[in-house]
């Protein structure tokens, strides 16, 4: 596929061109970087490390109406994802894009989730390579990713100083490049070589790591190990580590009454770290304490997912480490898993 | 400064007591300058306990956060004490919990730490984003000394101090069984100037301000879970039948959540600042809590968590209570 370049002067113009689609890009809300729909190119903020909130909600909304209903009327007013239109997520990090590729496996597994898959079909992912790993807690290279990784992406941009190197990676990426034909230029002959070297350098700058070999196979044997009690003792049972994890995908389905006799059925993010997550109608809870919940979080990512889909469901973005209010650190937990017997 | 040798010795002695089940303190974190809660169940675990200006967590939350499994047939419930390390501000949480009769006084053993202030970890992180090695923060005079991986940096205390510490009224714990150091004189006061400033703004202006904030709330409920005063067994947020609060995340529901929580904390919030500290998207929740706190103080001369004999504000009524502000 072709390799082009986009001069930084033309970035605004290119974003303007892309805003004829539903354009999602990193933007500032006070000092917090979140992905949001951009109306005007100036709103995009590309001087970010990684966003606090990953862009996953644009594939898997935190709250999604599945259909609306009126009591007594058998007709349902169903959601049509198509109406959301073609979407471009611009400037996401390689780990977050790879996370979407990983979550795709779940939503197209034993049941093809029409809402999620339709939305993914309509979405083009334009990544921004991590020339500098944005956080000391990045560990993508240990779990199959890397700062210049392309998995899940349709197009990858690399900041080369005055311009971005633009790599088309899929047909969707190619189509997007056609849309931007007025802004893109041919890349210089040695640009790709330079980027390859930058990719190696960036990988070398990743500071945290874990040898995951054997972890998925070992976890089932540690079910009753005392480590779970220890690593979860400080846990508050909040949703930070899961809601802000780009691969977490648990949801609940609830009905909400909007007006008298009218309502909607919606699906909303859920978190295995919440106390009510597995409460049965009888009141029994098979995961009664944070010990069982923490054990589930780690097992889901590092055991169940590899078992079903042959990939670890953690992309090493480091968010759960950076943002946990009580410094529960997934790499520390995994170290203990490795050491346990 | 708390003497670490003394702290650990005392902890060993406490955890060896027959009537103590667990001791909650602090230990070094996994990276950078972070410190994490420690749960000590035997004398050996006490060796890595620390107390430094990095000990931000309010450990009083863990007293009410504990998940109790049903006692098995033939077994007795474990009624031994939990020992907990608290700074001045945190001690108010214990007092307020006890005012509310969350548990009897004799169930806890309070290890009070006279406190000279803790850092705002977000400020530390912003200033030293690249520190991975486990480091240490110490207070030397008016300077904080941050050392990690062989390097040392000095920063004037006020540049990294947590906001709550710049207006701390109770640096020495108001309740304790053991005090870990000499009492600290009050070094700051609170004039609620920030709230007065906010009160001056127009309603439209305030709404625009909060709209931006509430819009980005992801409803992770960390602010609730960390709060030492949010310990209702049956939380209004979790009820499905009837559903008082929808799970959906949008500006309207987020606003409803924050208004409900602020009201449920009125006259109860002890200003520890934990809710704001934990918020992953930096929502300045203390601005809401401080407004209520100021009102409660001005209208009823009541300061939660300062006097265990004082019944909770909202469960008492006096004929002379002011009501001229009610429409
Ligand atoms: S591990 Fe940390 S972020 Fe996750 S639920 Fe527990 S306290 Fe919250
Ligand atoms: S588990 Fe943590 S490091 Fe892994 S993808 Fe999720 S948030 Fe990122
Ligand atoms: S984990 Fe890797 S891809 Fe993700 S932000 Fe860090 S360096 Fe970039
Ligand atoms: S911690 Fe922050 S994001 Fe989470 S529910 Fe509270 S205000 Fe919202
Ligand atoms: S509302 Fe916030 S400041 Fe008040 S007691 Fe709870 S956590 Fe502390």
């Amino acid at each position: 596929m072709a390799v082009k370049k986009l001069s930084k002067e033309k970035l605004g113009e290119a974003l303007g061109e892309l805003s004829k689609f539903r354009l999602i890009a990193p933007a500032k809300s006070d000092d917090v970087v979140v992905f949001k729909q951009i109306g005007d190119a100036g709103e995009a903020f590309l001087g970010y490390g990684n966003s606090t909130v990953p862009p996953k909600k644009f594939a898997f909304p935190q709250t999604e109406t599945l259909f609306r209903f009126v009591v007594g009327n058998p007709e349902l007013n169903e959601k049509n994802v198509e109406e959301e239109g073609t979407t471009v997520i611009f400037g996401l990090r390689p780990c977050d894009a790879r996370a979407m590729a990983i979550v795709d496996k779940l939503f197209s597994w034993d049941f093809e989730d029409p809402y999620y898959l339709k939305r993914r079909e309509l979405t083009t992912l334009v990544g921004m390579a991590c020339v500098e790993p944005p956080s000391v807690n990045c560990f993508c290279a240990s779990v199959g990713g890397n700062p210049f990784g392309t998995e899940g992406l349709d197009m990858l941009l690399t900041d080369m100083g005055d311009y971005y190197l633009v790599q088309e990676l899929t047909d969707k990426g190619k189509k997007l490049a056609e849309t931007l034909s007025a802004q893109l230029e041919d890349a210089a002959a040695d640009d790709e070589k330079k980027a390859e070297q930058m990719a190696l350098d960036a990988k070398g700058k990743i500071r945290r790591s874990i040898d995951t070999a054997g972890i998925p196979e070992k976890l089932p044997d540690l079910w009753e190990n005392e480590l779970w009690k220890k690593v979860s003792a400080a846990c508050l049972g909040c949703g930070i580590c899961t809601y802000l994890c780009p691969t977490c995908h648990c949801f609940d389905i609830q009905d909400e009454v909007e007006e008298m006799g009218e309502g909607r059925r919606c699906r909303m993010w859920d978190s295995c770290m919440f106390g009510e997550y597995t409460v049965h109608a009888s009141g029994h809870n098979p995961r009664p304490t944070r010990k069982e919940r923490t054990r589930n979080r780690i097992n889901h990512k590092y055991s169940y997912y590899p078992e079903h889909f042959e990939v670890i469901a953690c992309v090493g973005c480091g968010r759960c480490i950076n943002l946990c209010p009580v410094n529960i650190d997934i790499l520390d937990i995994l170290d203990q898993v490795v050491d346990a017997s | 400064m708390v003497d670490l040798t003394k702290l650990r010795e005392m902890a060993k002695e406490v955890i060896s007591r027959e009537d103590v089940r667990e001791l909650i303190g602090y230990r070094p974190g996994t990276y950078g300058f972070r410190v994490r809660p420690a749960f000590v169940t035997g004398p050996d675990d006490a060796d890595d306990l620390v107390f430094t200006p990095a000990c931000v967590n309010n450990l009083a939350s863990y007293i009410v956060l504990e998940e109790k499994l049903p006692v098995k047939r033939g077994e007795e419930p474990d009624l031994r004490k939990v020992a907990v390390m608290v700074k001045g501000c945190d001690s108010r949480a214990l007092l307020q919990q006890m005012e509310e009769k969350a548990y009897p006084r004799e169930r806890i053993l309070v290890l009070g730490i006279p406190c000279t202030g803790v850092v705002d970890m977000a400020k530390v992180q912003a200033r030293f984003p690249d520190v991975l090695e486990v480091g240490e923060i110490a207070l030397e005079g008016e300077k904080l000394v941050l050392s990690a991986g062989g390097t040392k940096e000095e920063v004037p205390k006020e540049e990294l101090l947590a906001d709550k510490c710049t207006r701390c009224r109770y640096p020495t714990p108001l309740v304790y069984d053991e005090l870990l150091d000499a009492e600290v004189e009050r070094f700051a006061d609170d004039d609620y100037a920030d709230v007065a400033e906010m009160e001056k703004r127009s309603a439209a202006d305030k709404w625009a301000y909060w709209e931006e904030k509430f819009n980005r709330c992801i409803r992770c409920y960390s602010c609730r879970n960390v709060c030492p005063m949010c310990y209702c067994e049956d939380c209004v947020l979790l009820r499905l039948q009837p559903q008082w609060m929808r799970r959906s995340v949008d500006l309207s529901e987020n606003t409803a959540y924050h208004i409900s929580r602020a009201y449920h904390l009125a006259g109860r919030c002890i200003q520890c600042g934990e809710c704001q500290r934990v918020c992953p998207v930096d929502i300045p929740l203390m601005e809401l809590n401080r407004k209520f706190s100021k009102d409660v103080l001005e209208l009823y001369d009541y300061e939660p968590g300062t006097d265990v004999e004082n019944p909770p504000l909202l469960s008492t009524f006096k004929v002379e209570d002011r009501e001229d502000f009610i429409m």
Side-chain angles (χ1 to χ4, degrees), chain A residues 29-30 32 52 62-63 136-137 207-208 233-234 236-240 243-244 254-258 264 268-270 274 276 288-290 293 321-322 324-327 329 332, chain B residues 29-31 34-37 39 57 62 65-67 69 129-133 212-213 216 218-222 225-226 238 240 243 246-250 277-278 280-282:
Chain A
S29 169
D30 299 322
V32 184
T52 302
Q62 183 159 11
T63 307
V136 289
N137 289 318
R207 310 210 11 225
R208 296 197 70 178
L236 303 168
C238 70
I240 291 179
Y243 275 9
L244 295 179
Q254 294 186 4
D255 286 354
E256 292 188 348
V257 177
E258 300 197 297
R264 59 172 180 162
M268 47 267 286
W269 290 359
D270 203 349
F274 288 163
E276 74 275 22
T289 70
R290 290 180 288 274
R293 293 173 213 140
I321 309 176
N322 288 330
C324 173
V326 296
N327 186 213
D329 181 327
D332 175 52
Chain B
T30 62
Y31 71 94
R34 294 191 68 167
V35 158
R36 52 186 161 160
F39 297 81
N57 311 60
Y62 289 108
L65 201 63
E66 194 184 352
E67 292 148 315
L69 293 175
D130 300 326
V131 178
L132 179 62
E133 300 80 13
E212 170 90 29
K213 318 282 183 259
R216 66 172 186 262
I218 56 163
R219 298 264 293 285
C220 64
Y221 293 153
S222 196
N225 288 19
V226 80
L238 301 183
L240 290 175
Q243 189 179 42
R246 294 184 195 163
R247 176 71 91 71
S248 46
V249 174
D250 54 39
R277 175 183 74 81
V278 303
V281 293
D282 293 356

Side-chain angles (χ1 to χ4, degrees), chain A residues 32-106:
Chain A
V32 184
V33 178
V34 297
F35 277 82
K36 68 173 202 188
Q37 185 165 357
I38 301 290
D40 158 16
E43 272 182 85
F45 174 70
L46 295 180
Y48 69 112
N50 200 356
S51 60
T52 302
V53 187
K56 75 169 169 184
K57 72 171 180 189
F58 295 99
F60 171 44
Q62 183 159 11
T63 307
E64 162 160 44
T65 307
L66 303 178
F67 55 80
R68 288 177 200 282
F69 54 82
V70 178
V71 175
N73 181 347
E75 260 172 58
L76 301 176
N77 183 355
E78 275 187 71
K79 163 111 179 186
N80 180 0
V81 176
E82 203 95 38
E83 283 167 8
E84 289 173 10
T86 309
T87 300
V88 175
I89 304 183
F90 186 92
L92 77 171
R93 294 294 177 196
C95 54
D96 287 347
R98 183 161 178 265
M100 287 200 195
I102 289 173
V103 175
D104 289 351
K105 295 180 197 288
L106 185 276

Side-chain angles (χ1 to χ4, degrees), chain A residues 139 241 244-247 297 301 313-320 330:
Chain A
F139 63 100
C241 57
L244 295 179
C245 171
T247 67
R297 179 163 76 92
K301 293 180 181 304
C314 162
V315 293
C317 71
R319 283 190 185 86
C320 57
I330 192 165

Side-chain angles (χ1 to χ4, degrees), chain B residues 87-90 92 115-117 161-172 184-190 271 290 303:
Chain B
K87 308 182 284 286
C89 51
D90 307 341
R92 289 181 58 190
C115 173
T116 45
L161 205 61
D163 284 352
K164 65 172 176 182
C165 304
T166 64
R167 44 185 181 235
C168 175
R169 290 165 47 75
Y170 304 103
T172 299
V184 174
E185 288 271 334
R186 182 182 290 183
F187 53 84
D189 206 353
D190 194 352
Q271 306 284 300
R290 286 178 52 71
E303 214 179 352

Side-chain angles (χ1 to χ4, degrees), chain A residues 102-128:
Chain A
I102 289 173
V103 175
D104 289 351
K105 295 180 197 288
L106 185 276
F107 284 114
S108 50
W109 180 39
D110 52 349
F111 174 74
E112 303 225 328
D113 187 288
Y115 310 97
Y116 179 88
L117 294 176
K118 184 81 216 164
R119 199 173 282 114
R120 287 288 284 122
E121 188 190 314
L122 291 169
T123 305
T124 302
L125 300 182
V126 181
M128 185 68 77

